[in-house]
Amino acid sequence: MKLILFMMLVSVTTVCESQTTQEFIQTKYREGMKAYESKDYPAFVRAMQTADSVRPNTYSILYNIAAGQTLSGQSDVAL
């Protein structure tokens, strides 16, 4: 019985943590897009890099990092 309760607790904790992570990534993504729209490309790159540090190698985030670096005049880093 204790094992079942423990497994349920771990399961619920994992789901809550996952939602929190997803919300954080969405917040950083929106923050980055606002920076992009205002042509603050260094802030755009920073926000996308923060999102990438939480969920590495997401294609859209990596693309946005490279685009922001290119727009900031760092095309060699973007490659």
Side-chain angles (χ1 to χ4, degrees):
M1 184 66 164
K2 289 181 181 179
L3 179 61
I4 292 172
L5 289 174
F6 176 73
M7 294 301 288
M8 289 174 61
L9 178 63
V10 168
S11 169
V12 169
T13 303
T14 303
V15 169
C16 291
E17 187 176 307
S18 175
Q19 288 176 343
T20 303
T21 301
Q22 183 64 26
E23 290 169 359
F24 177 78
I25 292 168
Q26 288 174 346
T27 299
K28 285 298 171 182
Y29 196 89
R30 282 192 296 265
E31 180 184 306
M33 294 313 293
K34 284 181 184 178
Y36 172 80
E37 290 169 1
S38 65
K39 298 185 180 187
D40 184 359
Y41 302 124
F44 174 57
V45 171
R46 281 193 304 276
M48 292 299 154
Q49 287 173 331
T50 301
D52 184 60
S53 70
V54 175
R55 176 150 310 146
N57 302 321
T58 303
Y59 297 123
S60 60
I61 294 172
L62 290 176
Y63 177 86
N64 286 339
I65 291 170
Q69 289 169 332
T70 300
L71 292 168
S72 297
Q74 301 174 333
S75 56
D76 55 330
V77 176
L79 290 173

